[in-house]
Amino acid sequence: MSEHEGERDAEAASEVRHRTANTLQLLATLARMRGQKTSDLEARRQMTWMAEAIGALGALERRRSGDTVDFAAYLEEMAQVWRRRQAGQAVEVVVEVDDLKVRDQAASTLALITNELVGNALTHGLIGAEARLIRITLRRESGGLARLTVADGGPGFDPAAAAGRERFGLWLARSLAGQVRGDLSLGRGPNGGIRAQLTFPV
């Protein structure tokens, strides 16, 4: 393949990613608008959830390059989105990440897991918290692993209790973790609240 052909292929791939990102963002907007039009609260909640998941995947498309995704840059971009989810209520989303690129086939799953963990923290982890803060970290570990942590400062719960917060969001996150050969654990944060940690191979 000539240099010119390689540049042309790269431009074509970039254009496809751009169009895909725009399409997903449009679908997210439509889902959100449809949810706003329904008077059924559960239907509205489900459509909002769908819009957020689709939007997360749309943002991911902009970070693809070749067969990898710049996941650190993706988290930095999404932090702005997560801050706006609280409908005017001030919340700080702190992101501390190592420079990390993940395999293309795992990136979408990791994006959905992160979106669920952060959504759960925004919904439950700020209740009664003195500081409305969610901290997201992404660190390289030894042995070819990485660790994603989402921590809040809320009242917390007993992760082992059946009556805890493990509903659809956490169940989905655990199910998706298996797809990236990851291990998801929940525990108390150092300053209270819940700390969710996903360890996965990179």
Side-chain angles (χ1 to χ4, degrees):
M1 179 184 296
S2 68
E3 182 177 345
H4 177 69
E5 290 173 328
E7 291 176 353
R8 187 171 56 192
D9 287 348
E11 290 176 0
S14 177
E15 178 61 25
V16 169
R17 289 195 299 271
H18 181 71
R19 288 201 303 267
T20 301
N22 286 345
T23 299
L24 289 170
Q25 292 298 340
L26 176 59
L27 289 172
T29 299
L30 290 173
R32 189 172 290 108
M33 292 174 65
R34 188 68 184 90
Q36 291 171 351
K37 290 295 184 180
T38 181
S39 59
D40 187 300
L41 293 180
E42 178 59 19
R44 182 180 301 175
R45 189 179 71 84
Q46 294 294 343
M47 293 303 291
T48 299
W49 176 87
M50 185 64 71
E52 291 171 352
I54 295 172
L57 294 176
L60 188 74
E61 288 300 315
R62 291 190 289 270
R63 300 299 176 180
R64 294 187 187 275
S65 178
D67 60 353
T68 61
V69 173
D70 188 339
F71 207 73
Y74 167 75
L75 291 178
E76 294 279 9
E77 178 180 344
M78 285 300 296
Q80 302 175 42
V81 177
W82 291 322
R83 291 185 190 107
R84 295 195 296 266
R85 275 194 193 171
Q86 290 303 99
Q89 300 180 48
V91 57
E92 183 61 19
V93 179
V94 176
V95 177
E96 300 171 347
V97 294
D98 291 338
D99 183 20
L100 183 66
K101 293 179 173 58
V102 301
R103 294 171 291 111
D104 178 72
Q105 58 267 39
S108 296
T109 302
L110 290 170
L112 290 174
I113 292 172
T114 308
N115 194 61
E116 287 299 328
L117 295 179
V118 174
N120 194 65
L122 287 170
T123 302
H124 303 286
L126 302 180
I127 300 172
E130 293 184 8
R132 295 175 59 80
L133 171 68
I134 294 173
R135 187 178 300 276
I136 304 168
T137 60
L138 179 64
R139 301 299 187 202
R140 288 185 177 276
E141 303 287 331
S142 60
L145 299 174
R147 178 170 295 175
L148 171 73
T149 303
V150 177
D152 62 60
F157 73 105
D158 180 0
R165 269 187 352 223
E166 181 140 359
R167 296 185 177 87
F168 178 76
L170 288 176
W171 171 84
L172 178 62
R174 287 190 189 280
S175 300
L176 292 173
Q179 295 184 18
V180 293
R181 295 181 293 137
D183 178 58
L184 179 63
S185 63
L186 296 178
R188 290 278 188 177
N191 300 313
I194 290 298
R195 178 172 57 189
Q197 292 188 322
L198 173 70
T199 304
F200 60 96
V202 293

